[in-house]
Amino acid sequence: MRFDRRTLIRSAGQLAIMGALAPVRALAAMPGAYPFTLGVAAGDPWPDGFVIWTRLAPDPLGEHGGMPMAPVAVRWEVAEDEGFARVVRSGEALARPELAHSVHVELDGLLPRRPYWYRFMAGTADVSPVGMARTAPAAGEMPDRLRIGVAGCQKWEHGYFDAWGHLAAEPDLDLVFHYGDYIYEGAPTPLGPYIPRQHLGDKLYSLDDYRRRYAQYKADPHLQAAHAACAFAVSFDDHEVDNNWAGEFDRDGTPPEIFALRRLAALQAWYEHMPLRRAQMPALGGVLVFRRLNFGRLLSMHVLDTRSFRSDQPCADGKALPCSFDAHNSSDMLGKAQEAWLDAGLAGDASWNLLAQQVLTMPYDRRPSATATPDYAFDTWDGYRPARKRLMESIARQGQGNTVIASGDFHRHFAGTVPLDDERLDGEMAAVEFLATSISSNGDGMEIPDAEFQLANNPHIKLMTDRRGYQLFEITPELWRTDVKVMDRVSTPGGAISTLASFTVSRGRVALDPA
């Protein structure tokens, strides 16, 4: 499975020509019906450009977002300055009803490693908010540093998104990696101390259901600010479709051919609301989410998909108990094609490899005391030990000591290392892992009562805390720094951010040091 840059550009050009030949129905002036209610976004930077996105939705929670059922012309501009005195690219795109009137413009022809500002126009007077994104460094360049934010798991019902506002204000960000759980698919939960605000609609099944849920989330001003401040690289986890789904299986035993319809609707809505290239557009045969973003010779970022190709979880995802450690042996997390693609990519000459993926990779025995039975998760890499063994052997085979794994899903901050042999937790380490906590999922958080024992029982884990927030990576040719950011609360608006801990990793040495 090979998708090179030339093929992508040629395909995009053919599609643009097809779009230009299609009939266009211009958007009529709609007083009081501003169409850019869901903001703007940019994504997947290359040295010569990135994707810019918006969706026309004058009534974002109403039928069809308040849009007519016809294509609409949207103009766009890209400038070298925030005031748009020096416009370097401009054009027109079609917002089609088949894609919820979303627009994905794949820019090229820009200069590497510099900021650009972009905006959209519709009708005669409506102008979108302005967004900013940076192009990637040129292929042969060695930048002195990159700054990347990592965040995800933003359950609307569990708290407010102030963390996104804080992340938007972080200086000099080159990229944000959103690891997944952008929305949650569940039915509304009754309001209470733990549920400060509610989902609209019921549990999600149809395309319209998913579109409405995305509109509810994307109307949040803090999330919009983060998207406008920096380019994102996005993947998905389970809640974009269904909790703990795995390949062709949901968690409720739905026939695979029926679940496939729901999964396709969910991933279409995901594409419609994310700043993605057309190569990531879902089709009947699936979706190609795994891809590589290179930042000169400093970083090769491998964006992974740990949902679409995995085998089912062991022990019926924990429903069939007891489930021994040896039974945690589901065979595939990435699938053969993605494994081979990643193995080849890890052999590159970048100073660092970043595995941008979704679920906890390192072994984690969750038992609360020495007298309790060992307790491992089913949906993380702990449920897929053969796949984890192959991944760690692939990393170790390169012998460079330069692989960092970014993860999410667990609603806690973790920092640690991943053993080459998961039965020798104090043995040779293959990679460093930083798992970013949730933006809001699980609410304000709490003290982990058995944390002291768990850290002693898992000597490769150096930090574990149940707080909300995000992480910041500052990457230089020889040193990697991670700042662990935590919120004081998410149950009410106005929460403050602080740095809980900082770690460094030296290139060539698979270990964490306090910063």
Side-chain angles (χ1 to χ4, degrees), residues 390-405:
R390 294 193 301 272
L391 176 61
M392 293 306 109
E393 289 175 345
S394 173
I395 293 170
R397 191 161 53 246
Q398 312 307 329
Q400 301 183 65
N402 68 343
T403 297
V404 175
I405 302 173

Side-chain angles (χ1 to χ4, degrees), residues 134 145-152 163-179 226 229-232 299 354 404-407 413-415 432-437 439 463 468-476 479-486 497-505 512-513 515:
R134 289 179 168 88
R145 73 167 188 171
L146 288 170
R147 282 175 56 80
I148 297 176
V150 182
W164 279 122
H166 292 298
L167 186 53
E170 295 284 356
D172 301 323
L173 281 180
D174 294 283
L175 189 74
V176 169
F177 169 53
H178 195 298
Y179 59 74
C230 182
F232 274 49
L299 178 71
L354 172 59
V404 175
I405 302 173
S407 310
H413 281 300
F414 282 78
V432 170
E433 182 174 15
F434 295 107
L435 185 146
T437 190
I439 289 289
L463 172 78
R468 310 288 72 80
Y470 53 87
Q471 294 183 0
L472 288 176
F473 298 161
E474 182 165 299
I475 307 163
T476 64
L479 195 70
W480 183 299
R481 178 188 173 104
T482 295
D483 292 330
V484 178
K485 299 282 190 170
V486 295
I497 197 78
S498 62
T499 301
L500 176 69
S502 299
F503 298 93
T504 61
V505 183
L512 289 178
D513 294 311

Side-chain angles (χ1 to χ4, degrees), residues 192-239:
Y194 188 59
I195 308 295
R197 54 185 186 172
Q198 280 183 312
H199 281 147
L200 296 174
D202 207 332
K203 188 174 181 179
L204 310 183
Y205 284 95
S206 73
L207 179 56
D208 285 341
D209 292 341
Y210 284 102
R211 284 171 170 170
R212 187 184 191 201
R213 187 64 53 85
Y214 275 102
Q216 182 178 19
Y217 277 55
K218 291 189 77 70
D220 185 274
H222 296 296
L223 180 55
Q224 287 193 19
H227 274 296
C230 182
F232 274 49
V234 299
S235 190
F236 54 73
D237 196 22
D238 53 338
H239 288 288

